[in-house]
Amino acid sequence: QVQMVQSGPEVKKPGSSVKVSCRASGGTSNNYVIGWVRQAPGQGLEWLGRIIPALDLRDYAQKFQGRVTITADGSSRTAFLELSDLRSDDTAIYYCAKERTNTDPALESWGQGTLVTVSS
Amino acid sequence: EIVLTQSPGTLSLSPGERATLSCRASKSVLSNYFAWYQQTPGQPPRLLIYGTSNRATGIPDRFSGGGSGTDFSLTISRLEPEDFAVYYCQQYDGSPTFGQGTKVEIK
């Protein structure tokens, strides 16, 4: 069973950028897809994008186009989410999750979440 | 973007009762691309159902999913104490979106 381990909490100023990491541990396949979802305090879930590390292919939610960059380092099985031009309403828990299969985007294994706080 | 609307917003039930949660899509969704998640306080979401009706690994059979087109449902046949949580539907027929959530609380 693959476990997703994320980096620690971040506090950022408005207008700055944040980069969150997510490492896949366990499992043997390098053929996987990682998605990113965020959850503002007391709110629901919002999909930001995904990456297929083996193919270096990525897909972003239209809302975040131009502000979000998802990358991956296949050798360390680590994915990264970078969000730029941060605003106060970007304050949220950011989750990574492994998709169930390459053809089924249901999010099967979730990281513990990374709290990003944007405050002046 | 496909908008998912969940109902009711809150469901107040007692342990042992049956829970039926609904999710309506703004346009038709392929059944292969519909899922349900459970989230308890302080925890990440957990995949319950994928492909509309398939239980994820380790999910007990009191959870069942169904539906097609624009109307989908999650049923919990007999509520256990650990089932009181927030439930989200998700479609991934195109750019993924989530519903706003249904909270199942103890009556």
Side-chain angles (χ1 to χ4, degrees):
Chain A
Q1 175 101 10
V2 175
Q3 290 191 323
M4 314 304 291
V5 181
Q6 297 183 225
S7 50
E10 303 266 8
V11 179
K12 294 293 182 180
K13 301 280 189 196
S16 67
S17 298
V18 68
K19 192 169 186 177
V20 179
S21 69
C22 168
R23 180 174 53 85
S25 69
T28 56
S29 172
N30 282 323
N31 195 20
Y32 54 89
V33 184
I34 302 295
W36 288 91
V37 173
R38 76 178 186 180
Q39 186 170 37
Q43 302 301 308
L45 304 171
E46 185 171 34
W47 185 80
L48 289 89
R50 66 158 66 95
I51 188 167
I52 307 175
L55 302 176
D56 198 29
L57 287 176
R58 55 190 58 78
D59 181 24
Y60 300 131
Q62 190 167 8
K63 173 180 176 178
F64 299 100
Q65 291 273 2
R67 274 211 310 144
V68 67
T69 304
I70 298 175
T71 56
D73 176 357
S75 62
S76 65
R77 293 164 60 90
T78 302
F80 302 90
L81 171 79
E82 185 168 17
L83 189 63
S84 62
D85 191 22
L86 290 168
R87 310 185 276 255
S88 59
D89 61 0
D90 291 317
T91 293
I93 298 174
Y94 289 75
Y95 293 104
C96 68
K98 176 188 161 301
E99 295 187 357
R100 210 180 69 81
T101 72
N102 281 11
T103 55
D104 183 353
L107 296 164
E108 180 177 60
S109 302
W110 291 68
Q112 80 276 21
T114 296
L115 176 61
V116 175
T117 303
V118 182
S119 174
S120 55
Chain B
E1 174 180 290
I2 297 177
V3 176
L4 299 179
T5 302
Q6 294 187 237
S7 60
T10 303
L11 200 49
S12 298
L13 294 168
S14 300
E17 288 194 295
R18 182 184 188 89
T20 302
L21 289 65
S22 295
C23 183
R24 175 162 289 177
S26 60
K27 59 178 277 194
S28 186
V29 173
L30 287 174
S31 294
N32 284 356
Y33 300 142
F34 197 88
W36 290 92
Y37 300 84
Q38 176 195 65
Q39 189 177 33
T40 53
Q43 296 297 314
R46 176 172 73 146
L47 177 65
L48 295 177
I49 300 287
Y50 64 92
T52 296
S53 59
N54 302 290
R55 280 186 298 276
T57 303
I59 302 303
D61 60 7
R62 64 179 181 273
F63 290 92
S64 62
S68 64
T70 59
D71 291 296
F72 297 85
S73 63
L74 174 72
T75 300
I76 311 170
S77 59
R78 287 177 57 86
L79 284 163
E80 297 287 341
E82 61 269 26
D83 299 337
F84 291 91
V86 179
Y87 293 83
Y88 294 96
C89 57
Q90 183 203 24
Q91 67 78 27
Y92 34 92
D93 185 2
S95 191
T97 54
F98 292 90
Q100 82 281 16
T102 289
K103 182 179 182 180
V104 178
E105 65 176 22
I106 300 177
K107 187 173 181 179

